[in-house]
Each structure stands twice: as structure tokens, then as C-alpha cells.
């Protein structure tokens, strides 16, 4: 059974490749609905250019950076919101800058706990279990869970204590900003470079 | 046969974990020379802290960023050199800033061609071959190689034409800077964020 080709799929492919309507539809039929394959088919026919056209940004928000004095640590972040109006809002901008400082200072590895790789989590659990010995199993489990929570609050940006206001987590400050600004705000991604590491 | 544990391995492990000399040696013997495993062993014993201590930066250089007007595109780059003296050199700094502008404008995906994944290269080769038809095999091969060169000069930073001086590639400008400044300079890594893509 072949995948039905929807108008949306054809449209997405057109946006990505700049190829004609009919070419896109035929390529999708040939690739059985697989977009990546359809792009390859269009490129083979010369109907799409080598570099994917930049897809129209449907999200609003801000990309911000921070370079620590001396240029040994740098941060790049993308924070999304719903409208360009909020992206230009001063409070939103200050919050994004604060997140950059947070990442420079506290070196998180992930935005949130769902991004921690399963294998990494298993290693942490194993280490935590080995560190607890001679206690009843129920107590061990509780201590291990506590250590895992501690691990999250070390490596996940939103679980870290907010550097500017240690009694709150980044997530709590984020929730407050969402309530105050009245728009969903999402920390989409970040990178942190440290010289030579 | 077990891996010999060298003094360098013990030293590296100490730098990374902050654990004692004997602990490090024993952990390496137990892990049969595997550093990652040795770190896990040390952590289980409580002899190393949860977060790896930042390794001493042995490289010099600069981390620099560029945010395009409006905050819709951002770049973070690390460029290495041999001494801190050069890292503070104005010409070096200007070159690093120019590289940021290059990445923002020309959207490379990799630093150099050795970073292009084999699978990606195969797809490009397949597409290029499909685009050339009805020509003798020798000609086809030549045209395909030409198209692959073109692909490299689109996606690899050092193979791109330098935006400030189109008649030279980034690699050529880099080589000139190395000759002029008298120190090896290496573009270590970069990221480019575009809002919502």
C-alpha cells in the first residue's frame, strides 16, 4: 500500500527545494512519500538546487551569544517565542542574555532531562548504586533517585539553580516569564565552547 | 595480555578527575587502560567528583561570536593558535571575526572536507552521476568529480570563496595568515544557528 501524498507534503517539498508543483508531486509518488528521498530524486533531475533552500522560519525568537572576557568561553543560544513583538521585548531579551550567562557560568550539557542519553543515565545510576552500600534496598533506591535528581540539576539547564537568583531554578524563572509576558517561550538549543576542551 | 599503564595515562586521568596517583593507577589497571571506564571506577569509589574537572586548556586561541542584525542568525567559532600572544594579536582577531561573518553569510556545514560524512558524499556522487547522461565514461567521471569539488566549495568553510575577497578561498587566506603571523592557526569548530531552522 502506498502512502497518500497530501497537499501539505507537496507544499513542504516545494518550500524546501523551490521545484515546481508537478515535479514535487511526482517525486513524492516515486519516493512513496519520503521527503528526503524525494529531494534526492528532484536533484537528480536537476529540478532542485544542491543546497536546500532555507526553510521559512515559522518560529519567532532570538539568537544571542556571550563571550566571556578574554575569549576563552563562548555561548550561543536560540530561544523561541510566538511573535516577533515579544522577540523585541526588553524583558525577553534580558532573560535570553541571562540564560547565556547561566550557560557560561554553570556549563550545562543539555536543555532538559529528556535530552540526557539513556546510556549516560544508566552509567549515573550504576555509579550512584555502587556508592551506596550496606543499606536496606528501599533506602538505597531513595538515595539513588536523589543522586539522579542532583545529576539532572548539574547537567540540565532548566533544572539548574538560576545563577542570578539561586533560590529558583531556571525552569521556575522561565515559567514566571511565560506568565508575565503572556506567550510560550522555549529554550530551543544552545552550545558552549571552552577553549581547547 | 593486558595494556601497559604508562605514566602519561595516569597523569591524564589525574588531570581529568583530580583523584590521587595510586587511585588513578589502580583504576587504570582494573579498567585495562580504558580511561572512560577508569573514570567510572573512580567515581564509584567516590574518588572523583561527578563532573569531570575541566581539563587544562593546552591550546591557545579565541572563541568569537557574531549575531546578525535582528538576532535571527548567530555564529560561534573557536580558532586555535600556539600562543596567547597571538590570540591577542589584532590581525588574528580580525581574521576570526571575518570567519564569523563568512559563516553567517555563506552557511558552511563543515570546517573541511574530511568532516563530510561518507554517506553524504555517496549521495552527492550518485546525484551528480544521474545528472550526467549520454557521455563517455571518462567524461562522466571528470564531470562528476567537478560537481563534487563544487559541493565541497559550497559546504566546507575552508573551500568556500572568502566573502571579503571572492578570488581567494578561506584556506588560501588562512595560509597567508599563518605565514604572516608565523604561528599555526587552526579553525577548530563552529556552529551556526538560524532561527527556527
Amino acid at each position: 500500500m502506498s502512502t497518500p501524498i497530501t497537499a501539505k507534503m507537496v507544499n513542504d517539498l516545494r518550500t524546501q527545494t523551490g521545484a515546481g508543483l508537478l515535479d514535487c508531486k511526482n517525486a513524492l509518488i516515486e519516493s512513496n512519500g519520503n521527503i528526503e528521498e524525494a529531494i534526492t530524486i528532484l536533484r537528480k533531475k536537476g529540478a532542485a538546487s544542491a543546497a536546500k533552500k532555507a526553510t521559512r522560519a515559522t518560529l519567532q525568537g532570538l539568537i544571542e551569544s556571550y563571550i566571556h572576557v578574554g575569549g576563552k568561553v563562548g555561548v550561543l543560544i536560540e530561544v523561541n517565542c510566538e511573535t516577533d513583538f515579544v522577540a523585541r521585548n526588553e524583558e525577553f531579551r534580558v532573560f535570553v542574555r541571562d540564560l547565556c550567562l547561566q550557560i557560561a557560568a554553570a556549563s550545562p550539557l543539555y536543555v532538559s532531562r529528556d535530552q540526557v542519553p539513556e546510556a549516560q543515565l544508566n552509567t549515573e545510576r550504576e555509579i550512584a548504586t555502587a556508592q551506596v552500600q550496606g543499606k536496606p534496598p528501599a533506602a538505597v533506591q531513595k538515595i539513588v533517585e536523589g543522586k539522579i535528581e542532583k545529576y539532572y540539576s548539574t547537567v540540565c539547564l532548566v533544572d539548574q539553580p538560576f545563577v542570578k537568583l539561586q533560590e529558583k531554578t531556571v525552569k521556575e524563572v522561565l515559567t514566571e516569564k511565560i506568565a508575565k509576558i503572556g506567550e510560550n517561550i522555549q529554550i530551543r538549543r544552545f552550545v558552549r565552547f571552552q577553549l581547547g576542551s
Side-chain angles (χ1 to χ4, degrees), chain A residues 88-99:
Chain A
R88 285 181 279 115
N89 170 305
E90 185 58 21
E91 182 156 4
F92 177 74
R93 287 180 170 263
V94 169
F95 178 57
V96 174
R97 273 200 293 276
D98 285 345
L99 288 174

Side-chain angles (χ1 to χ4, degrees), chain A residues 33-51:
Chain A
N34 182 312
I35 289 259
E36 286 307 315
E37 241 174 75
I39 292 172
T40 303
I41 291 164
L42 285 171
R43 288 188 53 202
K44 283 183 185 171
K45 286 181 178 152
S49 61

Side-chain angles (χ1 to χ4, degrees), chain A residues 9-30:
Chain A
M9 288 160 71
V10 176
N11 234 330
D12 285 352
L13 188 58
R14 286 193 72 184
T15 311
Q16 279 192 56
T17 60
L21 190 68
L22 200 64
D23 282 338
C24 288
K25 198 175 171 185
N26 288 337
L28 280 165
I29 290 167
E30 196 179 328

Side-chain angles (χ1 to χ4, degrees), chain A residues 5-192:
Chain A
I5 310 301
T6 66
K8 187 182 175 308
M9 288 160 71
V10 176
N11 234 330
D12 285 352
L13 188 58
R14 286 193 72 184
T15 311
Q16 279 192 56
T17 60
L21 190 68
L22 200 64
D23 282 338
C24 288
K25 198 175 171 185
N26 288 337
L28 280 165
I29 290 167
E30 196 179 328
S31 76
N32 201 20
N34 182 312
I35 289 259
E36 286 307 315
E37 241 174 75
I39 292 172
T40 303
I41 291 164
L42 285 171
R43 288 188 53 202
K44 283 183 185 171
K45 286 181 178 152
S49 61
K52 268 187 210 177
K53 295 255 170 28
T55 53
R56 266 174 310 178
T58 49
L59 289 165
Q60 294 298 330
L62 208 57
I63 290 165
E64 181 60 282
S65 68
Y66 168 73
I67 302 291
H68 195 63
V69 186
K72 309 288 186 208
V73 171
V75 172
L76 189 68
I77 194 172
E78 175 175 353
V79 183
N80 294 138
C81 55
E82 294 172 42
T83 63
D84 192 49
F85 179 73
V86 163
R88 285 181 279 115
N89 170 305
E90 185 58 21
E91 182 156 4
F92 177 74
R93 287 180 170 263
V94 169
F95 178 57
V96 174
R97 273 200 293 276
D98 285 345
L99 288 174
C100 280
L101 293 175
Q102 171 85 30
I103 294 162
S107 317
L109 300 173
Y110 313 101
V111 173
S112 53
R113 50 182 75 191
D114 56 294
Q115 289 176 5
V116 179
E118 196 59 32
Q120 183 59 38
L121 206 56
N122 289 340
T123 306
E124 291 303 319
R125 219 176 278 277
E126 205 181 288
I127 289 167
T129 309
Q131 284 173 344
V132 187
Q133 277 166 356
K135 291 212 164 60
V140 168
Q141 203 195 335
K142 210 172 163 183
I143 294 166
V144 168
E145 285 315 309
K147 281 175 185 281
I148 295 295
E149 277 302 315
K150 175 82 189 135
Y151 173 73
Y152 282 139
S153 74
T154 307
V155 300
C156 298
L157 174 60
V158 299
D159 291 317
Q160 289 183 337
F162 192 51
V163 277
K164 268 179 93 179
L165 204 71
Q166 292 280 337
E167 68 268 32
K168 287 182 181 173
T169 63
V170 171
K171 199 191 288 169
E172 283 165 343
V173 177
L174 175 64
T175 307
E176 284 174 12
K177 295 293 172 196
I178 291 172
K180 192 161 172 206
I181 295 173
E183 236 181 52
N184 195 18
I185 296 170
Q186 202 170 7
I187 303 167
R188 179 144 177 258
R189 52 181 170 168
F190 69 83
V191 285
R192 180 184 188 277

